[in-house]
Coordinates of all heavy atoms in Angstrom, one line a residue:
Chain B
L1565 N 98.9 91.9 111.7 CA 97.6 92.6 111.4 C 97.6 93.2 110.0 O 96.6 93.0 109.2 CB 97.4 93.7 112.4 CG 96.0 94.2 112.6 CD1 95.8 94.7 114.0 CD2 95.7 95.4 111.7
F1566 N 98.7 93.9 109.6 CA 98.7 94.5 108.3 C 98.9 93.5 107.2 O 98.5 93.7 106.1 CB 99.8 95.6 108.3 CG 99.4 96.9 108.8 CD1 99.8 97.4 110.0 CD2 98.5 97.7 108.1 CE1 99.4 98.6 110.5 CE2 98.0 98.9 108.5 CZ 98.5 99.4 109.8
A1567 N 99.5 92.3 107.5 CA 99.6 91.3 106.6 C 98.2 90.8 106.2 O 97.8 90.6 105.1 CB 100.5 90.1 107.1
R1568 N 97.4 90.6 107.3 CA 96.0 90.1 107.1 C 95.2 91.2 106.3 O 94.4 90.8 105.4 CB 95.4 89.8 108.4 CG 94.0 89.3 108.4 CD 93.9 87.9 107.9 NE 92.6 87.4 108.2 CZ 91.5 87.8 107.6 NH1 91.5 88.7 106.7 NH2 90.3 87.3 107.9
L1569 N 95.5 92.4 106.7 CA 94.7 93.5 106.0 C 95.1 93.6 104.5 O 94.2 93.7 103.7 CB 95.1 94.8 106.7 CG 94.4 96.1 106.1 CD1 92.9 96.0 106.3 CD2 94.9 97.4 106.7
A1570 N 96.4 93.4 104.3 CA 96.9 93.4 102.9 C 96.2 92.3 102.1 O 95.8 92.6 100.9 CB 98.4 93.3 102.8
L1571 N 96.0 91.2 102.7 CA 95.3 90.1 102.0 C 93.9 90.5 101.6 O 93.5 90.2 100.5 CB 95.3 88.9 102.9 CG 94.6 87.6 102.4 CD1 95.5 86.9 101.4 CD2 94.2 86.7 103.6
E1572 N 93.2 91.2 102.6 CA 91.9 91.6 102.3 C 91.8 92.7 101.2 O 91.0 92.7 100.4 CB 91.2 92.1 103.6 CG 90.9 91.1 104.6 CD 89.9 90.0 104.1 OE1 89.2 90.3 103.1 OE2 90.0 88.9 104.6
L1573 N 92.8 93.6 101.3 CA 92.8 94.7 100.4 C 93.0 94.2 99.0 O 92.6 94.8 98.0 CB 93.9 95.7 100.8 CG 93.7 96.4 102.1 CD1 94.9 97.3 102.4 CD2 92.4 97.3 102.1
K1574 N 93.8 93.1 98.8 CA 94.1 92.6 97.5 C 93.1 91.7 96.9 O 93.1 91.5 95.7 CB 95.5 91.9 97.6 CG 96.7 92.8 97.7 CD 98.0 92.0 97.7 CE 98.6 91.9 96.3 NZ 99.3 93.1 95.9
S1575 N 92.2 91.2 97.8 CA 91.3 90.2 97.3 C 90.3 90.9 96.4 O 90.0 92.1 96.6 CB 90.5 89.5 98.4 OG 89.5 90.4 98.9
S1576 N 89.8 90.2 95.3 CA 89.0 90.9 94.4 C 87.6 90.3 94.4 O 87.3 89.4 93.7 CB 89.5 90.8 93.0 OG 89.9 89.4 92.7
I1577 N 86.8 90.8 95.3 CA 85.4 90.3 95.5 C 84.6 91.3 94.6 O 84.9 92.5 94.5 CB 84.9 90.3 96.9 CG1 85.9 89.5 97.8 CG2 83.5 89.9 97.1 CD1 85.7 89.7 99.2
K1578 N 83.5 90.8 94.1 CA 82.6 91.6 93.3 C 82.1 92.8 94.1 O 81.8 92.7 95.3 CB 81.4 90.8 92.8 CG 80.9 91.2 91.5 CD 79.9 90.2 91.0 CE 78.9 90.9 90.0 NZ 77.5 90.7 90.3
K1579 N 82.0 94.0 93.4 CA 81.6 95.1 94.1 C 80.1 95.2 94.3 O 79.4 94.6 93.5 CB 82.1 96.4 93.5 CG 81.7 96.6 92.1 CD 82.3 98.0 91.6 CE 81.8 98.3 90.2 NZ 82.8 98.1 89.1
E1580 N 79.7 95.8 95.4 CA 78.3 95.9 95.7 C 78.0 97.3 96.2 O 78.9 98.1 96.5 CB 77.9 94.9 96.8 CG 78.9 95.0 98.0 CD 78.6 94.0 99.1 OE1 77.7 94.2 99.9 OE2 79.4 93.0 99.3
D1581 N 76.7 97.6 96.4 CA 76.3 98.9 97.0 C 76.6 98.9 98.5 O 76.1 98.0 99.2 CB 74.8 99.2 96.8 CG 74.5 100.6 97.2 OD1 75.3 101.3 97.7 OD2 73.3 101.0 97.0
C1582 N 77.5 99.8 99.0 CA 77.9 99.7 100.4 C 77.1 100.6 101.3 O 77.4 100.7 102.5 CB 79.4 100.1 100.5 SG 80.5 99.0 99.7
I1583 N 76.1 101.3 100.8 CA 75.3 102.2 101.7 C 74.5 101.4 102.6 O 73.8 100.4 102.2 CB 74.4 103.1 100.9 CG1 75.2 104.1 100.0 CG2 73.5 103.9 101.8 CD1 74.4 105.0 99.2
S1584 N 74.6 101.7 103.9 CA 73.7 101.0 104.9 C 72.6 101.9 105.3 O 71.5 101.5 105.7 CB 74.5 100.5 106.1 OG 74.6 101.4 107.1
A1585 N 72.8 103.2 105.3 CA 71.7 104.1 105.8 C 72.0 105.5 105.3 O 73.2 105.9 105.0 CB 71.7 104.1 107.3

Side-chain angles (χ1 to χ4, degrees):
Chain B
L1565 197 152
F1566 275 106
R1568 178 72 168 71
L1569 181 64
L1571 179 77
E1572 289 302 335
L1573 296 176
K1574 287 182 94 76
S1575 79
S1576 50
I1577 305 167
K1578 211 172 154 232
K1579 58 180 187 254
E1580 53 181 282
D1581 188 357
C1582 292
I1583 294 181
S1584 86

